[in-house]
Amino acid sequence: MHDMDIVKVLANKGYILEPDALDMLKGSRDPDELIGRLLSGLDPSAFIISGKDVARIAIKPAATGIAGTPPDIRILKDITNNSTCIGDYDEFVGYFRNRFSILGDMMRNRISSRPIESILKKKGMRSASSSEKNEISIIGIVSDHRVTANGHRLIEVEDQTGSISVLIMKDSDICDMPVLLDEVIGVTGVPASDGGLFIASSIIYPDVPYTNVARHSDEPAVAALISDVHVGSDTFLEDNWLSFLDWINGDSVSDQDADLVSRLKYIVVAGDLVDGIGIYPGQDKELHILDIYDQYKKTAEYFDQIPKHISVVISPGNHDAVRQAEPQPALPEEIRSMFRNDNITFVGNPAAVEIEGVRFLIYHGRSIDDMVSNLPGASYSYPEKVMVELLKRRHLSPIYGGRVMIAPESKDHFVIDPLPDVIHSGHVHTVGICRYRGVLLANSGTWQGQTEFQKRMNIQPDPARIPLVDLKSGEVSVIKFGE
Ligand code: D5M
Ligand code: FE
Ligand code: ZN
C-alpha cells in the first residue's frame, strides 16, 4: 500500500494521520488488516490518529488473533493446599528417603549399583578376591565432604544400608568435580584393599538425557519472565516498571517490538513481588511503603494495568507474605483478593506449570545463595551457570541447612521431575539465560536498584530487563525498560 493510499482511505473516513502513525501503518506486516482494526477500534469522535493510537490497536486482540484466544495454563505440581509437614523430626527421615529414592531411580537405569552394605561386608576378604579390581557403582547421599592432609578429597556416601568413605584422588580425572553436601550421586570405582574405602573413578548425576527435546506451543504466544519487583522498597525502580506497563499496553512500542508485543500472552512472576517487612535487620530504613498490605495494594494497582488478554502466573519469593520455609504455598487469599484481575493464577514456590504445552518450572531461586557459597566458581553474575548445576542434579536445592529453609514435606518438591522445558528463577537480581540439553534456563533479574546491603556484598543488580520467551519457536529476547 502506498503512503497516499493509506492517507486517503483514512481521510475518507474523516481521520487525519500524524506522521508516526503513518510510519507505523506502512511498517506493519499487513497494513490493510491493521487499518481495518484501527477503523473499528477508534473512538468515532476522534479526528487525529497518533502513533500511540496505532500501537494500541496493533496489540489489541483481533477477533481471530493470538491475543483473543483463551489462555492455556495447567498447574502440574504445586505445594499449595498439599503440605503434609507438621514439623516432626521423623519427617526429615521421610523427606530424605524420598529424595534418595526418586533421584536414585533416575540413575539406576544408567548404572547398576550395589547396596553399600554389600561392599562393607566384603572387608577382610578383599585381598583374596580378584574381582575387586572390577569397577562397581554405588548410589547415595553425600553426608560429609573434606579435604585430606595430602590434598585428596574424602566424601562420605550413605544409602539405606550403610555408609562408605569415597576417595577422590587429587590427580584423578574427576578431581575438580564439585560435590555438594546432601546431594544424591552415583559413584563408580573400586573398593580399596585395606578397609572401608572406595576409590572413585567417576561421579554420576541424575542429569538430563542427551536426547531431550523441548516442547513448543502450536499457536504463536510469547511469555515475559519477571521477578523481584520489590514494590515498597525505596530502591524500587518505578519509572522503569511503568515503562514496562506502558509497553505491554502498546504505548511507546517501537516498530521493531510491535510484533512481539502483539504476541505477548503470558507474564510469569518468580517471586519477590514486594519488598516485605522485617526480612532483614534495619529494612524499615530502606522502605518507601512501610505496611505489607499497602505494598500489595500498590502491586495490585500495577497489575491491574496489565491488559486483560495477558494471563499472569504469580509465584512467591522470600520477601513475600508466605511462610519462609520452602516449598512455599501461593499467596494467601487476603492478598490474592486485592488483585482484581481474573487473569492471574497464583501458585506456590516452586511450581510446575504448563503454558500452551510448554512446561515451566518456576522457582524463586534462594538456593542460588547456597550454591554460590558452596560451589567453586559459582557467582551471582552468572545465575544461569548455577541453574545448570541444579538441573544436572535434578534438584532445585540440594544443600540442606544453608540459606534455604527446607520444610520436610513427605515428597521432595525440589526434585526436577518431570523435566521442564523452561526453568525460571529470580532472587539474585541479575539476568542470565542459557540452554542445557534442550532446557531453557532463565533468571529474570529485578526492578530494584542496588540496596545498601547489596553494595556491601558487592552484588551488582541488572534491573529492568525482561527475558521474553517465544513459546512457539523457543527463542528468547531480552528487552530493557527505561534508562
Ligand atoms: O535477594 C537479593 C540478592 O541479595 C540476592 O543475590 C541474594 C542477596 N542476599 C539477600 N539476602 C542476603 C543475605 N542475608 N546474605 C547474603 N546475600 C543475601 P533478595 O531475596 O531480593 O533480598
Ligand atoms: Fe529479590
Ligand atoms: Zn529473593
Side-chain angles (χ1 to χ4, degrees):
M1 227 175 173
H2 286 297
D3 289 14
M4 276 323 288
D5 291 337
I6 296 178
V7 172
K8 253 192 236 158
V9 168
L10 288 160
N12 284 340
K13 303 281 180 188
Y15 294 109
I16 288 178
L17 280 172
E18 281 185 358
D20 56 338
L22 177 60
D23 285 345
M24 290 180 78
L25 287 170
K26 267 194 319 193
S28 86
R29 281 193 309 195
D30 186 351
D32 281 323
E33 187 267 350
L34 188 53
I35 289 169
R37 279 202 283 139
L38 188 62
L39 286 171
S40 59
L42 277 175
D43 180 348
S45 65
F47 174 54
I48 295 171
I49 300 175
S50 68
K52 221 168 171 177
D53 294 325
V54 178
R56 228 184 233 126
I57 299 291
I59 68 145
K60 281 267 161 60
T64 55
I66 308 138
T69 57
D72 177 9
I73 299 176
R74 283 197 300 150
I75 299 173
L76 304 176
K77 261 185 166 185
D78 185 358
I79 184 72
T80 311
N81 302 324
N82 291 316
S83 175
T84 56
C85 150
I86 49 170
D88 271 5
Y89 176 78
D90 286 355
E91 288 177 316
F92 285 96
V93 178
Y95 167 78
F96 276 103
R97 198 168 283 158
N98 184 256
R99 178 189 287 201
F100 173 73
S101 133
I102 303 179
L103 296 175
D105 283 349
M106 287 185 194
M107 288 182 274
R108 255 172 226 116
N109 52 24
R110 300 205 332 261
I111 53 173
S112 73
S113 63
R114 287 208 211 161
I116 288 173
E117 180 187 46
S118 74
I119 305 171
L120 297 171
K121 271 184 190 157
K122 287 189 177 166
K123 243 191 256 178
M125 298 160 53
R126 203 147 283 152
S127 47
S129 163
S130 60
S131 69
E132 299 296 4
K133 300 262 182 309
N134 292 337
E135 288 202 325
I136 56 174
S137 298
I138 55 171
I139 291 173
I141 293 188
V142 176
S143 63
D144 192 25
H145 185 205
R146 59 199 175 85
V147 180
T148 69
N150 297 328
H152 304 301
R153 281 155 65 205
L154 203 55
I155 59 178
E156 198 65 23
V157 177
E158 227 179 280
D159 68 8
Q160 290 124 311
T161 70
S163 177
I164 194 165
S165 299
V166 173
L167 185 70
I168 303 176
M169 309 265 267
K170 67 175 172 198
D171 46 6
S172 67
D173 297 345
I174 56 167
C175 63
D176 289 332
M177 264 184 105
V179 171
L180 302 172
L181 272 185
D182 311 307
E183 70 172 336
V184 179
I185 54 170
V187 186
T188 299
V190 289
S193 54
D194 58 344
L197 191 68
F198 191 78
I199 301 172
S201 56
S202 65
I203 292 180
I204 296 118
Y205 295 117
D207 223 314
V208 177
Y210 286 107
T211 50
N212 179 55
V213 179
R215 295 165 196 79
H216 295 291
S217 66
D218 294 333
E219 301 301 322
V222 168
L225 310 185
I226 64 173
S227 65
D228 300 271
V229 191
H230 288 269
V231 175
S233 162
D234 64 8
T235 45
F236 168 54
L237 301 168
E238 189 180 34
D239 289 347
N240 305 61
W241 175 252
L242 291 176
S243 63
F244 163 63
L245 290 179
D246 282 349
W247 190 80
I248 57 177
N249 277 290
D251 294 342
S252 353
V253 174
S254 67
D255 291 359
Q256 203 184 333
D257 293 350
D259 186 47
L260 196 61
V261 179
S262 73
R263 284 178 292 132
L264 182 63
K265 203 174 155 189
Y266 299 96
I267 295 176
V268 183
V269 190
D272 285 0
L273 243 72
V274 297
D275 206 51
I277 50 160
I279 307 291
Y280 57 86
Q283 186 193 15
D284 49 336
K285 290 185 211 78
E286 296 182 30
L287 286 177
H288 169 64
I289 305 173
L290 283 154
D291 181 282
I292 183 85
Y293 291 99
D294 291 340
Q295 291 180 4
Y296 280 108
K297 225 182 271 167
K298 188 73 196 167
T299 311
E301 277 172 29
Y302 291 134
F303 275 67
D304 219 20
Q305 293 173 43
I306 296 174
K308 302 297 170 265
H309 67 270
I310 297 179
S311 297
V312 183
V313 178
I314 295 179
S315 168
N318 56 306
H319 283 253
D320 284 298
V322 283
R323 75 172 184 190
Q324 282 294 296
E326 298 179 14
Q328 298 177 294
L331 288 166
E333 181 51 33
E334 53 185 329
I335 288 169
R336 298 201 315 219
S337 60
M338 295 177 182
F339 292 78
R340 277 169 297 160
N341 335 27
D342 53 9
N343 55 346
I344 301 182
T345 306
F346 291 91
V347 295
N349 168 44
V353 178
E354 194 176 279
I355 302 177
E356 305 252 348
V358 178
R359 287 183 186 168
F360 281 73
L361 179 58
I362 309 162
Y363 175 55
H364 179 59
R366 196 157 198 202
S367 67
I368 301 172
D369 289 338
D370 290 326
M371 294 293 278
V372 169
S373 344
N374 289 283
L375 189 76
S379 101
Y380 281 123
S381 315
Y382 301 102
E384 72 282 13
K385 292 187 182 169
V386 175
M387 293 168 80
V388 169
E389 294 301 319
L390 296 172
L391 178 56
K392 279 186 195 167
R393 289 164 173 83
R394 299 289 294 270
H395 201 280
L396 293 170
S397 185
I399 301 163
Y400 178 77
R403 207 76 59 69
V404 180
M405 236 184 294
I406 294 181
E409 297 291 340
S410 57
K411 286 210 170 64
D412 188 342
H413 290 259
F414 298 97
V415 169
I416 304 175
D417 187 43
L419 264 179
D421 304 305
V422 180
I423 303 184
H424 171 199
S425 288
H427 184 59
V428 298
H429 296 200
T430 44
V431 173
I433 296 162
C434 73
R435 233 175 268 269
Y436 179 77
R437 298 191 184 169
V439 183
L440 176 68
L441 302 166
N443 195 297
S444 50
T446 184
W447 298 86
Q448 185 182 37
Q450 193 180 39
T451 63
E452 280 305 316
F453 176 81
Q454 289 162 358
K455 232 177 255 172
R456 287 197 301 276
M457 299 284 295
N458 200 21
I459 293 173
Q460 288 292 339
D462 187 8
R465 297 209 301 144
I466 296 193
L468 292 131
V469 186
D470 184 320
L471 301 181
K472 192 167 181 186
S473 70
E475 293 305 312
V476 186
S477 39
V478 176
I479 297 205
K480 166 111 190 149
F481 294 90
E483 287 319 302

